[in-house]
Amino acid sequence: MKFKYVSAVTILFFISACQSLKNASETKSNNDDTNVLPHHANLSQYAQIRLNKILHDAETGHLSESQANEAFLLAKNLEEKGQFESSEKLFQVCFQYSQSLPAGLNLINVKSQLKKLNDAQEIANRLTILYPQYSEPMLALASVYQMQNNNVALIKTLEKAFKKFPKDEAIVIFYSSYSKTNAKKVLETFLSKNPRSSNVLLTLAKYYYQEKNYHKALYYAKKAYSVDQDIIETLIFLGKINQSIKNYSEAEKYFKLAFDKEIDNNLNAQNYINILLFQNKTQEALSILLKLESSSDEQIPFPPEFTFQIAKIMLINRDYEEAERRLYELLKINFENSSIKYYLAICNEKVRKFDVALMYLNEIKEDNEYYTEAQKEKIIIYINTNQKEFAEKQIYKFSLSEKNIVEDTLFKSSILAYFNKYSDAVDILNKSIATHSDAKELYLKKAEYLKYLKSDESSIKFAEQIVSRWPKYADGLNFLGYSLVENNKRLELAKKVLLKAVALNPKNGFYLDSLGWLYYQKNDYKNAFKYITEAIKIEPDEPVILYHLASAQLKLKFYEDSLRTFESTSKILEDMLPYQLESDPELSRIQQSIGSKILEAKKAIDIDPEND
């Protein structure tokens, strides 16, 4: 069975909407005494009164033409509010009175909503007899057959409709989805005579998209857009195609256009926000989400999915209290997301409410997708709360999950390294490398630990093997270059690999810092200051980069700046949790030397203040 782009409900809504608007305008012009709904009426109370009156007059045979027209308008209002039972009664009265096409089509639609498909089929059959010159009854009948899963009757009806109305756009689209011949050929033939049919162009684009022929899909979607730039569905589809071909800036453009046209449409908002988050434009996404949140009310409630996204972005922004507040609101309404308790634990861990964090983590069961992550966080909390012996026992019990062997291996090896179990850490890395030989991250972590297990030279040699195997692996290049700089060896090779790493990713603050530190070791303090300053713009709170910047400032005799930067570094180090600080030997060295560096900067200011 071919993919059904045209749903029965969509067609019925399309038909009924068009016909009801037409009927409303006609009855208004032809019947000046029509009893139209008051603009400011209390609809529920008014509707009940009028509903009772209309039904009573219909049962007693005293229904007037103006009442029949009123019944139609009242039924449409009730239908839009989801009151299908009352709406059905009114459309039934209207159809029995006039046997009109609009009343019949709307009655089919409402009965379909109520799953009264046999009644809907009977009315649709009657309309095909009463109005053989119109295509809508056959479309309605085909739609009912589709909902009944009566494919034999559906295909027979569509073939008959296509032969009778070959120029009808809706029938051509519906027929193409069940055509035994080439569906695309049916649509392309129609387009040869009707080249500006935006709906057919869009449907054809969807067929090609399904076949992953994105070039053709984009071609027809753009043609549909050129015909009518206000169709939201076309804008969304253009966004999806561009996202599929990794043209994210174009995808963002179309999703934004759709969002701007219908700001209250949650799907449009979700598409736009998702593409922003995918491109790491988290602050733009947050700004939009907060505006939508502030403008929401009882009529337009704020979706819990959006609240969850705000919380996650605020976690990134380190606004833990606001993140926790929103996550807790979601927990209270039983929002179905398995990660809520995990993220609540993270919020509490970050503000050092370790008992609360452990409480949430302990509530995460083994069948939860975040169970392994919860076990990791518990081990880190045990370290941060000085339960190190227990943490060490737990890491040996920690099992690698099949889905995330690489990530779990990196975690387990890093904890073992924290406890100076470098041999065990390398053993675990080797086992995972044996089954995941292309996981570059595992090799790089091994290179890091070889430094402590064997020697700096062993680490550098292994890093060179990594760079030789993956010459465009920027993290590998950076590790090799920085290791050479730290050992003051082969600085020209270090410069070469670090320049390559920066060229591969010029917006990576750690690569820029490594290059700057290279120049520092070569006593080229101006270039050191230049690159480290660029690095700190990208990673403003990274203590190693701050320490390097302060060191360069000191050498350039920017004493006041150097003192402030050293003090900022010290403050960040003081605020770091034990695991963060103790698991990185370089941070530990900086922490030990930061006091003397601050004194050195102060002394330089006292001796030579005019040089600042």
Side-chain angles (χ1 to χ4, degrees), residues 487-518:
N487 285 273
N488 203 21
K489 293 181 178 180
R490 294 183 283 169
L491 294 185
E492 286 308 308
L493 173 61
K495 182 178 179 181
K496 179 181 177 181
V497 295
L498 289 173
L499 283 171
K500 187 174 181 181
V502 170
L504 287 167
N505 189 351
K507 296 297 182 181
N508 187 297
F510 297 99
Y511 303 168
L512 290 164
D513 173 64
S514 296
L515 186 56
W517 199 236
L518 164 75

